[in-house]
Amino acid sequence: MNEHQHGGAGTSLATAPAGPPPVDDSCTRAAKELIDAVDADPWGSVRPSLYETARVLSAAPWLPGGQARIDHLLREQAADGSWGEGPEPYRLLPTLSAVEAVLAVLQRDPLAGGAADRLAAAAAGGLAALGRLPSAGPWPDTAAAEILVPGLVAAVNERLDRPQVAGLPHLGPWHRGPRPVVPGGYSAAAPGAVARKCRAAGGVPFKLHHTFEGVAGHLPDVLLPEADGLLGSSPAATAAWLAAADRSPQHSHRERAADELAAVAHRYGGLLPEAAPITVFERLWVAAALARAGLASRGVSTLRKWADHLYDPEGVRGAPGLMVDADDTAMAVLVAALVDRPRDPAPLAVFDNGHHYDCYVGEDTKSLSANAHALQALCAHLRHHPEAAATHRPVMDRVADWLVEHQQPQGHWTDKWHASPYYATERCVTALAPFPGFRRRRAVEAAAAWVLATQHEDGSWGVWGGTAEETAYAVKILLCTSGTVRQPAHTRALDRAGAFLHDTAGTPDHRHPALWHDKTLYAPQAMIQAEVVAARHLLRTRHETEYLP
């Protein structure tokens, strides 16, 4: 590709070079199997959430599967007493959620001595772990942490203030130690302040539905939103809504919300994920990863079906109860172009704030990856409709410059939707690589240099240790740049990465670690696997074909 042309975003099926069909190798088969599996799954491939499962255990004791939720909490507690995945700052919210749920069970159920002893010990361990967690930030930018953390601190202390555990007055040591406090960086007044804004507005904004449990206890019944199914696609928000709606007979959808909550719990064996279903989000990310890498041919009819179904001229939402957002809308436009079903990118315009794209209306913190996806989508669209360049290129130049301005001095980018800078950096490099200009080229080169400098000894990359997912992103960054910067260091790094990905190729029970941000960390397994399969395929074919970003 000419360096001074706009374009890129992957070779579409229509513009792919003529030649023999792709070799039916392991990556091609894995891609087809993954597409078929995702197409057949009405829920999406994501593990249950410890946070969400504990919230439902506390707020919905009537829901079938309670014992499975209790067993899960006891089984998942770490040796240090905490709950959750990732470094200590990420364990604050899951540990608060689990401690409050364990106390709720102890206080409402007359359990037999052995079971009660185990729960009391878990509560004691969790409270001790909370006391050892950092007392101040920086805290991860997870969804609504500013209201969920102080709200749960208050809920735990309210339970500790009760004189005894129901039916078990002999159990008491767990509530005589230091009380959890709201850590620095959070405000105890935040949930109430948000609730006051809701009262002033006369209702709960749509963007709060997904985390409604954070304000539910501060709202009068008359301000409860209507939940036609899962509120905000969240089991925790729905359980909190149902608990409040039981006191408010005017809400007519309680039965449907309860049925959908029970259906999600049944799908996960009594446990709950942070959002359900995630099929829109999942299908768009899987399709983009595989189509960009040239792995769509055997499943193209399915990908085109997804593209036709998921694109919406009013904008796309990642799950039924979430807001329309620029990230999913951009990915729908991108996927449609990659599988030769180009769609109008006009729905993105509502998110354009004059500098960059807001991820959703009312956004508090910006998303670099959402803007990178929008830029990729516009590039891909212009491959099919070059006559639209006069309309889109001024916006594309503005967004590209905004991405460059937000690059970190070390050469990488970070984002609120993912804990790893390798994700955001790959998205930004892929978006910027086709663009001309010295500053943009230097930004891409700086990102590649950062990648080369941060590879682990075993050939992997990762912010907390090497993972296949982050290694896949790093591979794509280097492949984006190695075409113009033919350095031996690139070749050595890619060879080592290929060996790592081969040695750690997923088995049927393989679980990718949680690196994605929602209320806590989660791992969308199919989406991650698509990135890994795509990277392995690109590595295998890099000597025959050039990777086009």
Side-chain angles (χ1 to χ4, degrees), residues 397-414:
D397 285 331
R398 171 162 47 84
V399 173
D401 289 341
W402 183 83
L403 290 178
V404 172
E405 290 167 7
H406 285 82
Q407 187 176 25
Q408 298 296 312
Q410 299 91 333
H412 64 274
W413 283 266
T414 60

Side-chain angles (χ1 to χ4, degrees), residues 182-357:
V182 176
Y186 295 116
S187 169
V194 172
R196 285 193 296 275
K197 290 181 180 179
C198 293
R199 289 195 291 270
V204 179
F206 195 71
K207 76 171 188 173
L208 286 178
H209 287 193
H210 184 60
T211 54
F212 176 72
E213 69 272 19
V215 296
H218 297 266
L219 293 172
D221 295 344
V222 294
L223 284 186
L224 295 182
E226 284 294 338
D228 189 12
L230 286 186
L231 181 67
S233 293
S234 163
T238 305
W241 182 87
L242 284 165
D246 283 344
R247 306 187 302 267
S248 182
Q250 75 267 24
H251 292 281
S252 58
H253 296 112
R254 292 194 301 276
E255 185 174 347
R256 179 174 177 184
D259 287 346
E260 292 207 14
L261 185 62
V264 178
H266 178 74
R267 159 65 174 79
Y268 286 92
L271 312 182
L272 291 306
E274 290 199 11
I278 64 162
T279 50
V280 173
F281 176 40
E282 179 180 78
R283 291 176 180 185
L284 290 173
W285 266 248
V286 167
L290 298 179
R292 188 190 301 285
L295 285 170
S297 58
R298 291 186 61 193
V300 68
S301 61
T302 300
L303 299 190
R304 286 173 173 167
K305 178 186 71 174
W306 293 353
D308 292 344
H309 175 69
L310 297 178
Y311 175 83
D312 189 326
E314 300 299 319
V316 180
R317 62 189 80 232
L322 300 181
M323 299 178 70
V324 168
D325 67 89
D327 209 6
D328 289 282
T329 301
M331 289 295 276
V333 174
L334 173 60
V335 168
L338 289 175
V339 299
D340 295 334
R341 288 286 200 272
R343 295 291 185 269
D344 190 350
L348 284 169
V350 71
F351 304 104
D352 188 346
N353 64 21
H355 301 283
H356 61 278
Y357 288 102

